[in-house]
Amino acid sequence: MSEIPAKATERGGPSGDARGEAADDVMWQSSPPGSIYDYIKVASFSIGPDGLIDQWSLRAERLFGVHADDAVGRDPIEAFVPSELRSSGHRKMAEILDGREWTGSVPFRAPGRPEGPGSESFEGSEGIAEVYVMPTRTEAGEQAAVCIVVDVRALRQIETDLAASQAIFGQSPFGFLLFGTDLKVQRANRRFAAVFGGGVEDHRGRTVHDYLPRHEADRMAAALKRVLETGDSVTDMQIVGPAPGSNDRRHWSINLYRVHSGSGRPIGIAGLGTDVTRRHAAAREAAHARRNLALLNEAGARIGNSLDLETTARELLDVTVPGFCDLASVDLYQGLLDGDETPPGLADGSAELRRVAFASAVADAPFPEGGTPIDVGAVHRFGFTTPCADALRTARPRLVSAADEGSASRLTGGLVQSTLAVPMVAHDTVVGLAQFSRTKGSEPFGERDRALAVELAARAAVCIDNARLYRREHERALILQRSLLPPDDPEASGLDIACRYLPGNAATEVGGDWFDVIELPGHRTALVVGDVMGRGLRAAVAMGELRTAVRTLALLDLEPAEVLSALDEIARGLGDPSGTQQATRAARQKRSESETDLCEVYLATCVYAVYDAVTRRVTFANAGHLPPVLVEPDESPLMLDVPPGMPLGVGGEPFEEVEVELPDGALLALYTDGLVESRDHPLDEGLNAFVRALNDPAPALEDVCDHVLNTLDTHHGEDDIALLMARVQGLPADAVGDWTLERDPKSVGRARELACEQLRSWDLEPLCDTTELLVSELVTNALRYGEGEIRLRLLLDRTLVCEVWDAGLVQPRRRRARDTDEGGRGLQLVGLLSAAWGSRRTPRGKTVWFEMPLPDSGVQPMDAAEALLSLF
């Protein structure tokens, strides 16, 4: 067998004991590593002239599982062929040894090693071998054979693997590439060729730079090189690039892994590419939806926390910049800010607007319109043909791109690429315009953004409209409250007045506390402080009714106790449509049955005091109110012991009066319980604190009020606070003229003389003629209709007051005299020539009075002659 060297078979594999290392030791070879022979199990052996095995290769050992020592010298038919095929096998062997070639598949049984010397028992594996037998001759010229054996099972496995590989590679719906070690494409599947054009062979030899933009191709090449060098796979690498023949951006997910030969040598890189453009778009949609939901959630939490229009507009921009846009502004109709019911100019969108808010994430300059910057607070108009005016006119949003003529981008030097002009609509009314802009580098606005902008603007518009309605109602409530309270600087004869009012509800600034300063005849003054139980508008309305009733009763010149008794009757009728009398009777009936429900009537406390500037005396009556505090000069503050009585609306109990004489400089304080009572401290503690705050009061009453409010806890917001302080400054003795006249007709002339002398002493001679005439009328009436002695009194303060007293109880009544009547015109004349006149009851009769303005007051009285002529 000279053709087959014994020591040079199968890559020079050695024999003997060195066969264990021969499998991996390469002596010489011509085929590259990783050839087909690494996958196909090929073995060889030779048969000598005697039909026995004389050479056995290492691959034969691995294929049959038989060592060379156990195979050489044996009959291959007897050793490997099943017994039922041995007879035919011997015939074939004889033919081969006669010089004939043979190829065929032969079942074989690979025997195991004998259990002992001479033993023929084998336990091996069965298989099918494809055998190629080639006759040869030995050196001696004898017939022999060389056998090439292939394991059919390995061939079938390779065929199956090739078919599966071809199916996976060729039929895969994903792009498949096989790169060589030079990072060039060795093979591409049909799916990849369908996307990038051409046939599968056209892509052989190309690189990633032939398919992708430069920066993406560099990333891909670096990844291929890294996988080839390290063996680490790459999963879901995102690559972006245009598809051939289209400018659309496509997104691919790339997976790379290194491919090895049968011997483990790296031979290339496999790449699987999946088009994930739709998935990426869906992810972007989901991200946009999450962002939009987050913006709407934030808008719901942050917009509308204030009832101020400007603050609400700024809250909108705080939400949208920079989360939604880069620049934003809000313009509201000027008429709306001025309190108009319906903003003007909605028909054409050209009405005046005021920029109330602006925000920028990239620049501080406001949106320019027509090249002129619009600052926050500036009033402006949109041109009729502008997109903003169109949005206001149609109540629909407008998308303005950088290419549009007159767009904000052109006016800002190309900074803005798109703007959404969104009308702010609330309850079918356009209240303003919101503009959202994105600069170059940001994603342009889309339909999704338009819908979100409309929703955000609508939410802000509703809050702004609510703020507008609140502002309107708040202003109305303030007008109501202020109309129910005296002016900030009330004046009174013989009193220096200071007052404070703090509503418990700062949002509405209306409540049930009130105070009043009412001028009475004879330079007297009524001081009133009251508190309707309850809060808000209901209490304010009740307070207004009670205050009006107090003023009406005070002008009747009733005593303080009588005023409170009448006020109590009125309070029981408030809120009852049946009227005061029926409500009073119902309350009395319930009280008699011990079923009085105080919740059905308005309850209020009130202290009513009348101060006489001439006598310096003050008369108090109290209806369940806190006691007044008196501070005399150089004395400690003192709470006056005024019987509290029952609150107004309870009824059934008379009210008592207390008269106190006040020295000049004395300080009188009337207040409501909100000043001295709160949840944090009891009433007694608050009263004591109030009294301490009045120790050593400042000369200026305004400073005293401020000191009291700063000292006490007046910011608890639980109840309204009313504080009325008065410092006594009685009329001096030389400002009073007081005379007693006898019931004699001569007293009329005497009264005129006394009045004129007194006026001259006061330098009021211009008033003499009119005063003489009116005094004559009143004294004459006292003589004719009155009783007892007559008293004449002149009082000088801010006006001149003349009083005529008598003991008669019949009150004078003015009537219109007929042309034929000789009398009955005296009181008409008094009414024409005086600023005011009237009468009041006194403990011993009545007093009729009139009032004249002083010459320096600027009021010109009516000429006496004209007044007389007008009576006829």
Side-chain angles (χ1 to χ4, degrees), residues 700-715:
L701 273 186
E702 296 292 336
D703 296 339
V704 177
C705 290
D706 293 337
H707 173 69
V708 169
L709 296 180
N710 293 332
T711 302
L712 302 181
D713 179 20
T714 59
H715 303 287

Side-chain angles (χ1 to χ4, degrees), residues 515-793:
F515 64 92
D516 209 344
V517 179
I518 308 170
E519 291 190 74
L520 300 177
H523 290 311
R524 293 174 303 129
T525 304
L527 303 177
V528 189
V529 170
D531 182 2
V532 175
M533 296 181 185
R535 301 183 189 176
L537 192 58
R538 181 177 180 273
V541 171
M543 176 268 285
E545 296 186 63
L546 292 177
R547 177 179 179 270
T548 302
V550 170
R551 280 192 158 262
T552 302
L553 295 170
L555 293 178
L556 294 177
D557 216 347
L558 302 177
E559 296 297 326
E562 294 177 334
V563 170
L564 292 186
S565 295
L567 198 62
D568 176 64
E569 295 286 340
I570 294 172
R572 274 178 284 167
L574 294 179
D576 193 322
S578 61
T580 301
Q581 294 181 353
Q582 293 187 22
T584 302
R585 287 195 294 267
R588 289 174 179 172
Q589 181 179 359
K590 288 184 177 181
R591 183 169 63 251
S592 64
E593 299 173 357
S594 301
E595 296 178 357
T596 303
D597 185 2
L598 297 181
C599 295
E600 295 181 358
V601 296
Y602 285 84
L603 297 182
T605 63
C606 179
V607 60
Y608 184 88
V610 175
Y611 171 72
D612 190 335
V614 179
T615 64
R616 295 178 179 83
R617 288 182 174 272
V618 60
T619 304
F620 294 97
N622 192 354
H625 204 78
L626 295 174
V629 176
L630 176 63
V631 186
E632 295 186 0
D634 301 325
E635 297 289 340
S636 299
L638 173 67
M639 283 190 290
L640 295 178
D641 185 14
V642 179
M646 298 298 292
L648 301 176
V650 176
E653 297 294 334
F655 298 97
E656 299 183 39
E657 292 182 356
V658 173
E659 188 176 67
V660 179
E661 185 173 353
L662 305 179
D664 278 346
L667 179 65
L668 182 65
L670 305 179
Y671 53 95
T672 57
D673 57 358
L675 180 67
V676 295
E677 184 180 24
S678 73
R679 193 176 306 169
D680 299 331
H681 54 74
L683 177 60
D684 290 343
E685 183 179 333
L687 287 172
N688 293 333
F690 177 48
V691 171
R692 290 194 299 270
L694 292 177
N695 270 316
D696 192 18
L701 273 186
E702 296 292 336
D703 296 339
V704 177
C705 290
D706 293 337
H707 173 69
V708 169
L709 296 180
N710 293 332
T711 302
L712 302 181
D713 179 20
T714 59
H715 303 287
H716 50 75
E718 298 176 8
D719 198 1
D720 307 328
I721 295 174
L723 175 63
L724 176 62
M725 306 194 78
R727 177 170 277 131
V728 174
Q729 296 175 348
L731 290 180
D734 58 0
V736 179
D738 195 347
W739 305 275
T740 301
L741 303 175
E742 297 179 357
R743 295 192 62 82
D744 189 312
K746 295 180 181 179
S747 296
V748 178
R750 177 60 178 163
R752 289 197 297 266
E753 293 175 2
L754 294 173
C756 286
E757 290 177 3
Q758 186 65 62
L759 292 179
R760 291 189 186 96
S761 67
W762 289 337
D763 295 330
L764 297 178
E765 191 170 355
L767 300 180
C768 284
D769 293 341
T770 303
T771 304
E772 272 188 299
L773 178 60
L774 299 185
V775 166
S776 177
E777 288 293 335
L778 295 187
V779 173
T780 300
N781 284 342
L783 288 172
R784 182 176 299 178
Y785 305 107
E787 298 177 5
E789 61 183 6
I790 300 171
R791 183 180 177 187
L792 173 65
R793 190 166 73 167

Side-chain angles (χ1 to χ4, degrees), residues 339-421:
D340 294 345
E341 289 292 330
T342 302
L346 294 181
D348 58 6
S350 61
E352 286 187 341
L353 298 105
R354 185 195 302 172
R355 179 143 298 174
V356 296
F358 173 78
S360 171
V362 296
D364 294 330
F367 278 102
E369 302 291 346
T372 303
I374 300 176
D375 297 324
V376 174
V379 177
H380 65 98
R381 298 175 184 266
F382 291 117
F384 183 81
T385 59
T386 61
C388 293
D390 182 70
L392 290 170
R393 187 165 49 248
T394 61
R396 294 181 179 180
R398 282 291 307 272
L399 177 60
V400 184
S401 66
D404 293 338
E405 183 178 358
S407 68
S409 177
R410 181 177 64 83
L411 300 173
T412 54
L415 175 65
V416 176
Q417 70 165 339
S418 62
T419 298
L420 274 172

